[in-house]
Amino acid sequence: MTTAATTRTRVAWGERLPLAARIAIVYIAARVVTTGFFLLASALSGPGSRYGIAPSLEKLALGWDAQWYWLAAVSGYPVDLPIAAGGHVAENAWAFMPLYSYLSAGLGFLLGSWGAGAITISLAAGYGACLVLHSLLRERIGASAAMWAVVFFACGPLAALFQVGYAEALFLFFLFLAIRCVQRLQWTWLYLLVPAMGFTRPGILAFALFLGLYGIHRFLHRRTDPLPTRDIAHLVALGGLSVVVGFAWQAIAGFVTGDPGAYLATELAWRRNWLGDSSGGFLPVDGFVQAAGFWFARWGLGAATGYVFLAVLVLAVAALLLFSPQVKRLGIEVRLWSASYLVYLLLVFFPQSSIFRLLVPISPLWGALAVPQSRRWRIGVLALALLGQWWWIYNMYALANAYWQIP
């Protein structure tokens, strides 16, 4: 049999497998690679790392923010806010939503530890997110390109999040399901998914903006894409629910602690680690403006250069979402979600080393990189994704000894 015939036979055999099985093979292979990266990071971890010499995989998986989720599960949320030496609110568990923490505790009760429950949920949710991502993209860019997007997603620079004690994988699963529901105009499930997202990880206010923009888009195109009263009613109701859920955790934190500003003060505690007491209170967009000046001054380029860079970056991203043919192929739902989430980050976030992790919810944009059919292009993107993954794991888990090495 010739090489070409053998290749065709293998492809045909692969295509006969159920889609869920093919995605499972991709996902398991990606997790094996990530595990190899973690083992290598452990071997390279030295006395200067926060993890020490040759830490176990479990210790790596349950480091950083996983400790806060664990603390929320075993100790609950503080009634009295901790106060730092400077007199302001210190870091505490109120910055971390409860759903992932408590689900991990429940499953961990059966498996023997909170960590076992947390990692199992992350692994399962990551696989589920891959399945839904393929469904999101298949009708827009084709089955082959959608599978490549899943490969990029499963092997991406932040793919380690699928096997550590972070809430991102669970949030992505809920999020992709929610966007898919909007694509298919299946509104009922969103009444469950919106609260699930909102109590898993911050970001539900971005979904409220997405629903609003989607409703405007449908209204403007109602002559070619009819907008029935039923859809209007659901969009208004779900948008309102998203806003209520988005502020619910702040209200709960304020009620429990007796301090209406407890949640915002807690979030700002992390910003003070970078800016000190000069960070002030919360103002929309102020975090990005402060960061532009802070980082470019630290890099010796001057704060003014940072402000110019920020303006150019915002315009460039907007142009990409509006005009890139590859991005437009993904459909209006993915584009509007990506725009909404990036606007949300611009409004509320102070960019630092966690910015890479905070960008994971726009993962459906991997589909744009999967659109070109060149095999060399796709393999090149995969190689860069894996290189980025190793760079992230090496810095955040092997070295983990500098101010910017915080995932």
Side-chain angles (χ1 to χ4, degrees), residues 157-240:
L158 275 293
L161 293 172
F162 298 135
Q163 49 198 91
V164 297
Y166 275 57
E168 265 73 11
L170 185 61
F171 180 82
L172 290 175
F173 176 56
F174 291 148
L175 171 65
F176 293 174
L177 281 174
I179 298 174
R180 183 60 173 154
C181 285
V182 174
Q183 278 186 342
R184 297 173 62 87
L185 306 181
Q186 295 176 336
W187 307 112
T188 304
W189 284 106
L190 286 171
Y191 290 96
L192 297 176
L193 288 170
V194 164
M197 285 190 288
F199 289 102
T200 298
R201 178 188 175 279
I204 194 60
L205 290 176
F207 197 78
L209 176 59
F210 161 63
L211 291 175
L213 293 176
Y214 176 77
I216 293 171
H217 171 82
R218 289 284 304 278
F219 178 78
L220 294 176
H221 294 82
R222 64 191 182 280
R223 292 185 178 179
T224 56
D225 182 13
L227 180 60
T229 303
R230 169 182 174 274
D231 287 2
I232 296 174
H234 280 300
L235 285 168
V236 172
L238 288 164

Side-chain angles (χ1 to χ4, degrees), residues 56-284:
S56 66
L57 289 178
E58 180 183 15
K59 186 174 182 180
L60 293 175
L62 299 181
W64 297 115
D65 285 0
Q67 290 295 298
W68 286 109
Y69 287 111
W70 168 80
L71 183 66
V74 300
S75 300
Y77 292 88
V79 174
D80 299 314
L81 294 173
I83 303 300
H88 54 77
V89 173
E91 298 96 330
N92 65 84
W94 282 111
F96 300 88
M97 306 304 181
L99 186 58
Y100 178 74
S101 293
Y102 293 148
L103 286 178
S104 299
L107 183 58
F109 177 78
L110 300 175
L111 298 180
S113 70
W114 182 90
I119 295 170
T120 300
I121 288 174
S122 291
L123 283 168
Y127 172 62
C130 288
L131 288 173
V132 184
L133 180 62
H134 189 278
S135 179
L136 267 178
L137 298 175
R138 182 180 61 240
E139 296 172 4
R140 309 304 170 105
I141 62 176
S144 175
M147 183 61 78
W148 273 101
V150 168
V151 171
F152 299 157
F153 174 62
C155 299
L158 275 293
L161 293 172
F162 298 135
Q163 49 198 91
V164 297
Y166 275 57
E168 265 73 11
L170 185 61
F171 180 82
L172 290 175
F173 176 56
F174 291 148
L175 171 65
F176 293 174
L177 281 174
I179 298 174
R180 183 60 173 154
C181 285
V182 174
Q183 278 186 342
R184 297 173 62 87
L185 306 181
Q186 295 176 336
W187 307 112
T188 304
W189 284 106
L190 286 171
Y191 290 96
L192 297 176
L193 288 170
V194 164
M197 285 190 288
F199 289 102
T200 298
R201 178 188 175 279
I204 194 60
L205 290 176
F207 197 78
L209 176 59
F210 161 63
L211 291 175
L213 293 176
Y214 176 77
I216 293 171
H217 171 82
R218 289 284 304 278
F219 178 78
L220 294 176
H221 294 82
R222 64 191 182 280
R223 292 185 178 179
T224 56
D225 182 13
L227 180 60
T229 303
R230 169 182 174 274
D231 287 2
I232 296 174
H234 280 300
L235 285 168
V236 172
L238 288 164
L241 177 63
S242 298
V243 171
V244 170
V245 171
F247 288 102
W249 190 241
Q250 296 185 40
I252 293 170
F255 176 78
V256 172
T257 63
D259 180 356
Y263 177 75
L264 282 179
T266 297
E267 290 288 1
L268 290 173
W270 269 268
R271 188 178 300 186
R272 287 192 177 92
N273 289 334
W274 303 90
L275 299 177
D277 292 335
S278 63
S279 62
F282 172 76
L283 289 173

